[in-house]
Amino acid sequence: MRLTINGTAHDVDAAPDMPLLWVLRDLLGMTGTKYGCGMALCGACTVHIDGEAKRSCTTKASSAEGKQITTIEGLSDDGSHPVQQAWAELDVVQCGYCQSGQIMAAAALVASDPTPDDAAIDQAMNGLICRCGTYERIRAAVKRAAELGGR
Amino acid sequence: MRHSSAGPTRREFLKTSAVATGGLVIAFHVPGAKRLAIAGMAPADTFAPNAFLRIGTDDTITVLLAHSEMGQGIWTSLPMLIAEELECDWGQIRVEHAPAAPAYAHTAFGIQATGGSTTTWSEFDRYRQAGALARAMLVAAAAEKFGVSPSECRALNGVVVAGDKRATFGELAKAAAALEAPGSVPLKDPEDWTVIGTPRKRLDTPEKITGQAQFGIDVQFDGLLTAVVAHAPTFGGTVRSFDATEALAVPGVRQVVQVPSGVAVVADHFWAATTGRNALKVEWAPGPAAGVDTDALRAEYLELAGTPGATADETGNVAEALATASKTIEGQFSVPYLAHAPMEPLNCTVRIGPDGCEIWTGTQFQTVDQGAAAAILGLAPEQVTLHTTFLGGGFGRRANPANDFVAEAVHVAKAAGAPVKTVWTRENDTRGGYYRPAFVHRARLGLGADGGIIAWDHVAVGQSIVTGTLFEGMIGENGIDPNSVEGLIDSPYLTGVPNRRIGLHTPAPGVPVLWWRSVGHTHTAFVVESMVDEAAHAAGRDPVDYRRTLLADHPRQLGVLELAAEKAKWGSPLPAGQARGVAIHESFGSFVAEVAEVSVEDDRIRVHRVVCAVDCGVAVNPATIAVQLQGAVAFGLSAALHSSISLKEGRVQESNFHDYQVLRLSEMPAVETYIVPSKAPPGGIGEPGTPPIAPAVANAVFALTGQRLRDLPLKLTLQG
Ligand code: FES
Ligand code: FES
């Protein structure tokens, strides 16, 4: 199958039901997208498909053919996406494992809602678990990213 | 982030390091340790394995961490200790995990380990000394170069200056490396600190916001296979027989091998390995814990709690005092088994070569895991090179004296005859054991006429964490595992009671247990602070005021209590439907008071705000401290409100985050942290914020509803 990831086309030899997560990580070596649960329960594997936040662990790779897939590696060339800037400014990360997913979910949110309020943040981000407990800074950083210009 | 397929040997690793730092590696040692640099060898070979610091000719400063970064912020705070004395440019610091080696042994434990909230205090002198020594040698090199005396030179921001002469650390690196190291160098007066005590942002942020940070699960190199293991459904169960036909038919599956912990499906990638594992047919022989049912276990523990048990502490005459007390109060408490559930499931990559073995993993127990791997392979420990990656959370799960995930991965690679990354599915991780032990407590308190506590009769029931491990020596002659009663026998509330007895039962139902962020304090603080709160109400006293009386002779506890009460405006009105609860607890050398503001919607407990006051001695990085308190509150709230591991017929019922629930963003309270200024030696900070949160919330729920909840997770009884 042919997948377009971060603007580049990749031909991959994978079973059609193989989740996008494992195509990214194990076939293409793009390990920024993380595995946490495999059941759409934790959000660690969040990527964008045509700009929408999706759980790549339960998305069949074949279903993303012909669509634009964006991963944490492609969010910006140099960590300068407004969400990444806000994350750095507010020192959000701890162990960091959940953060690729958090950042991708936040980026999709601020792209669709330039002034997300607490309810919108709860709605978009509640499906993403952080065991280190960075939630307060995530909330603040989403608002800061919106100020910095979302997209 | 791919490792070359040939893989760096130890020597090549040293050379690579040399190239990375600009062609020269200088090793500075710490006092008391022997300098291993060998005169006459190429600079790249002068690397001393006990080094914490390298200075490149390109002015880069590389700090090697003897401990693991798992979110707690030592990637930043340990370099701060070096920078304080080195007088380097903060912007030039890079950080690496040190390899597993005796030189990086914990200053208190003697093994290379991260745990017990010990990193800051155990490295406070060693890392400052490493920086001071390096500065002294750079100054000596500069003095020689400038033709002046060292006392005329001053190091600042990575440059040594004397009059109008100046040289950067990088320019001096080569000459400094050739000097004889002084034995010991005086450290700065705390009054002169410019780094310690100032908030510093994390140094690992850039790689963690771009997906570049390498966790164990991200390790890749040519020829690396991935394994997923089918574990026995009951603890200690073994393989009777298995049929791998269907597993082997899954495209991408290469081999199916039996290992001591189960049957491993080895494949080209994780998806094939899991699909193969699901197609595997295994007949299991039940393990010794096959009959465990946690409901029955709780009933059994409650019964045991009615009998005295081994005496952990006794003074006065508790029976007599209870008989003469003006009032007695009694409570039975229970807490369940808990999984650590770090976001990165357990994993470990192993490559076995002709002369040794290389391991990549996120571990809290480097030299212990190294030793276990060596024993399995019949190698000497130094033939096992262990690379510590970032840890996607640890919380104690990655500090296992039984080395489960490392030993298993070594067995898999050995059986497969190929380099293998063994990855635990979330289900494996949740059901894999090594839980916070389930505990039951029963406490009876006698109050005097003035409301003070004159008798405290206490029995705790729960498994020992260290029995049967290399930490068994922690158990005293009285048979008491200190992990079971910490925060209880040393609680200032109890030591102040003239008649008291603490008993302990240590059953052994065979469920594997382990240290879980704040260990015994997770349950003892809940019980003690709930009982004290109950005593305050029974005495008709305000909960803060009552504690103030009991803690009158404990200035550090009192200090955090007063600060938290003041910042939370204890006693001031709250919005309708909210109430406050308080708890104070000392653990790991630090003191934390928390005031929780709570409301109840139907049967849901909502925590709106938590005010924390902490006295952790010298605060190295105040930014880290505030973050650790937030994290500790979130972790403790998961346990207080949601999480529980249960077993039926020996099988763990929970499997993933739908039934092993943890705190989510919408439930996160606003956490405020206030630090008591202190010049006392630093205490721990990773764990001490966790113990007070469950009792603070339970005490607030009582203030609000009159329901005294004594079981975790807290469950309200709906009132019709
Ligand atoms: S790994 Fe996809 S949601 Fe958890
Ligand atoms: S930063 Fe560790 S799980 Fe979120």
Side-chain angles (χ1 to χ4, degrees), chain A residues 94-96 98-99 130-132 134, chain B residues 343:
Chain A
Q94 287 190 231
C95 84
C98 73
Q99 298 294 341
C130 175
R131 281 292 272 161
C132 295
T134 63
Chain B
M343 282 315 294

Side-chain angles (χ1 to χ4, degrees), chain A residues 21 34-46 55-58 127, chain B residues 343 656-657:
Chain A
L21 172 64
K34 301 302 187 205
Y35 164 67
C37 69
M39 287 177 67
L41 298 166
C42 78
C45 64
T46 304
R55 307 290 186 246
S56 65
C57 69
T58 49
Chain B
M343 282 315 294
N656 206 318
F657 290 118

Side-chain angles (χ1 to χ4, degrees), chain B residues 85-171:
Chain B
E85 295 291 339
L86 182 59
E87 306 291 359
C88 57
D89 177 349
W90 183 247
Q92 286 166 336
I93 288 188
R94 302 173 182 182
V95 190
E96 288 175 12
H97 281 123
Y104 297 105
H106 193 291
T107 59
F109 300 161
I111 52 169
Q112 192 175 339
T114 306
S117 297
T118 60
T119 299
T120 302
W121 65 254
S122 72
E123 298 296 5
F124 195 61
D125 290 343
R126 184 158 77 166
Y127 271 69
R128 284 189 303 152
Q129 268 295 339
L133 201 80
R135 187 199 63 235
M137 293 172 75
L138 290 161
V139 163
E144 219 174 281
K145 181 180 160 110
F146 302 156
V148 300
S149 85
S151 63
E152 291 170 72
C153 300
R154 192 167 137 72
L156 199 65
N157 282 329
V159 181
V160 182
V161 184
D164 58 356
K165 301 192 177 72
R166 67 191 298 281
T168 68
F169 285 5
E171 289 162 359

Side-chain angles (χ1 to χ4, degrees), chain B residues 232-237 284-297 337 431 509-511 645-654:
Chain B
T234 62
F235 294 116
W284 301 97
V292 175
D293 176 300
T294 38
D295 288 338
L297 199 66
Y337 289 110
R431 294 184 161 164
V511 178
I645 288 284
S646 56
L647 287 88
K648 281 197 196 338
E649 292 175 356
R651 290 167 188 251
V652 177
Q653 300 300 295
E654 294 74 20

Side-chain angles (χ1 to χ4, degrees), chain B residues 407-449:
Chain B
E408 175 176 85
V410 172
H411 281 294
V412 171
K414 188 180 165 198
V420 181
K421 170 163 66 178
T422 299
V423 180
W424 292 42
T425 61
R426 174 57 60 192
E427 290 76 8
N428 279 358
D429 195 282
T430 306
R431 294 184 161 164
Y434 296 101
Y435 303 128
R436 191 284 301 276
F439 258 82
V440 157
H441 289 250
R442 190 188 60 87
R444 268 182 88 202
L445 275 59
L447 306 189

Side-chain angles (χ1 to χ4, degrees), chain B residues 74-90:
Chain B
I74 59 160
W75 200 262
T76 311
S77 52
L78 290 182
M80 285 174 73
L81 298 177
I82 283 190
E84 182 66 71
E85 295 291 339
L86 182 59
E87 306 291 359
C88 57
D89 177 349
W90 183 247

Side-chain angles (χ1 to χ4, degrees), chain A residues 34 36 41 131 135 137, chain B residues 218 270 340 426 630 663-664:
Chain A
K34 301 302 187 205
L41 298 166
R131 281 292 272 161
Y135 295 133
R137 298 191 302 287
Chain B
D218 301 330
F270 177 93
H340 305 70
R426 174 57 60 192
Q630 288 176 1
L663 196 83
R664 288 179 180 270

